[in-house]
Amino acid sequence: MTSDVLVIGGGVVGLASAYHLKRLSPGLSVTLAEKGARLCSVNSGRSAALYRNLFLSKTSRDLAESSIIHYRSIAGAIALKGLGYLWTFSRDEWTLLRTEAVRLASLAQEVELLEGEALSAATAMAREPKGPYPAAGGAIAGRLCGALSAQALAAWYAERFSELGGLIVTGADITGFDLDNEGGSLPTRVVGAKDARGEYYEAGRYLVAGGCWSQDLLGPLGIASAVYPKKRQLFGFSVARPDLLYGQASYGTPALILPYAGIYLKPVPERYLAVAGMADELGRGIDLPYGPAAARPRAEEEYFRAYIEPALGAYFPSLAAAYPRGLELKQAWAGHYDYHWPDKNPVLERAHNVVWVAG
């Protein structure tokens, strides 16, 4: 199979990359290879599907805000919800970060800072949580932020990419590359890629958008992408009324990041649910399990009960009082972040005729 560009990875990043390549250069032949039987069936489809523009990095902010403009233009097709974002920080963190938060509010679109009574009015968080949980000292509020359906967004990109003449191959688990190192000279380019079924793909350029598996492909080439996996787990639990989490202010029911352990909440009020997630920084290795466990990692209820639920109870006493026997879990799933560990920002880099994109 021969094309000008081979895109590896059928999640949102790979599909968006393939679509924009064809949109901007219609004459290019572009093939997208996805390891799963379906597109967006691995980590893109197992995220909280939240989006934000709260980045100090100009590159990240420009990427986010241009993407949000695009998302809004196709809002109906991707179940877009302009929830907003409320990122809270402990008092100590806020003392250290407030100057940077002020700078962010001056740079990013529709961002403001909440402190004191304004912060208290926006949520039902306890002013002085019991236990080891720090009180919120301030928050960054982003009105451009929100949520969407990752599967619907992937389907939109896939349909438009196909309409432009792009080729999608599913079940194509790329396992490695061949280099032009014949004749004893140093290799200068990749000349082909193989998948687990024995199919061979030749292309002028190779774009690796394999998420947390990208380094497995890039490492044997001598490329250190600094993109590694971190397990994320999400748990949907019952919330009978929005006021168990949110205040009476006009800010509504935004996605909420707590000032403890990066726990985040995505409200789903139409289903009387909230989704909580957390990616622990210590104690969980970055080595991926292989085989079936890698394709569908297990969400651990004990993780929710031991770490997330006690924090939710401390920050939201009314929520704990409404469910004295414990929060009612309705759904749970897990996947992996593909963090660019040096700065956790999106990455787009190139070596010879190989490009990798993540984040």
Side-chain angles (χ1 to χ4, degrees):
M1 193 175 296
T2 303
S3 56
D4 293 319
V5 181
L6 175 67
V7 177
I8 300 168
V12 168
V13 172
L15 284 161
S17 300
Y19 162 70
H20 287 297
L21 277 171
K22 283 297 291 181
R23 180 180 66 84
L24 295 171
S25 301
L28 282 180
S29 58
V30 181
T31 298
L32 182 141
E34 160 57 28
K35 68 187 297 181
R38 294 180 294 108
L39 298 171
C40 198
S41 61
V42 191
N43 290 316
S44 284
R46 298 193 197 121
S47 68
L50 295 167
Y51 61 86
R52 60 184 170 94
N53 65 326
L54 306 181
F55 298 98
L56 277 172
S57 158
K58 184 178 186 304
T59 300
S60 297
R61 195 170 59 252
D62 288 348
L63 279 169
E65 291 180 350
S66 61
S67 295
I68 291 169
I69 291 170
H70 173 57
Y71 296 159
R72 287 181 164 184
S73 73
I74 58 171
I78 61 173
L80 190 80
K81 297 178 182 177
L83 302 173
Y85 232 71
L86 194 61
W87 195 334
T88 67
F89 298 87
S90 71
R91 289 166 181 158
D92 288 344
E93 289 174 329
W94 194 243
T95 299
L96 293 172
L97 297 174
R98 191 180 186 283
T99 299
E100 292 294 272
V102 170
R103 187 162 75 91
L104 175 61
S106 71
L107 295 171
Q109 297 179 33
E110 298 188 40
V111 173
E112 60 184 297
L113 307 187
L114 297 184
E115 301 172 290
E117 291 302 320
L119 176 57
S120 297
T123 79
M125 290 173 62
R127 294 197 181 197
E128 300 293 339
K130 295 180 180 179
Y133 307 103
I140 300 172
R143 294 185 182 274
L144 267 188
C145 313
L148 50 76
S149 166
Q151 289 87 352
L153 180 60
W156 189 94
Y157 281 129
E159 183 178 348
R160 300 314 184 278
F161 173 62
S162 297
E163 288 173 352
L164 292 171
L167 175 64
I168 295 173
V169 183
T170 56
D173 185 4
I174 302 298
T175 57
F177 296 110
D178 285 338
L179 298 171
D180 65 336
N181 55 359
E182 295 181 4
S185 60
L186 283 171
T188 60
R189 60 195 300 271
V190 170
V191 295
K194 305 171 189 174
D195 73 15
R197 301 176 299 191
E199 294 287 341
Y200 197 74
Y201 304 80
E202 295 180 346
R205 292 195 176 186
Y206 299 81
L207 192 154
V208 179
C212 60
W213 285 281
S214 292
Q215 184 57 35
D216 292 345
L217 288 173
L218 297 169
L221 296 177
I223 295 172
S225 69
V227 175
Y228 291 99
K230 193 67 174 178
K231 186 175 182 180
R232 66 166 162 234
Q233 304 190 52
L234 296 116
F235 302 88
F237 59 93
S238 297
V239 179
R241 307 184 314 274
D243 66 328
L244 297 177
L245 297 176
Y246 296 98
Q248 302 302 317
S250 62
Y251 202 79
T253 56
L256 181 62
I257 301 179
L258 301 184
Y260 174 78
I263 295 173
Y264 55 92
L265 292 172
K266 173 187 176 181
V268 192
E270 68 275 13
R271 294 174 57 193
Y272 300 98
L273 287 174
V275 174
M278 174 179 167
D280 41 1
E281 292 290 336
L282 291 173
R284 190 182 300 277
I286 62 172
D287 292 332
L288 277 173
Y290 287 88
R296 191 164 292 279
R298 183 180 71 89
E300 307 156 47
E301 181 175 345
E302 59 271 24
Y303 179 84
F304 175 82
R305 299 295 181 191
Y307 301 114
I308 299 177
E309 185 173 23
L312 294 177
Y315 281 110
F316 303 102
S318 296
L319 178 68
Y323 298 94
R325 296 184 179 181
L327 295 177
E328 298 174 359
L329 280 182
K330 298 297 184 181
Q331 57 188 147
W333 66 98
H336 291 93
Y337 290 105
D338 50 315
Y339 270 147
H340 181 238
W341 280 99
D343 59 12
K344 298 184 182 178
N345 281 320
V347 58
L348 174 63
E349 297 190 37
R350 179 176 68 87
H352 299 287
N353 65 331
V354 178
V355 175
W356 59 98
V357 57

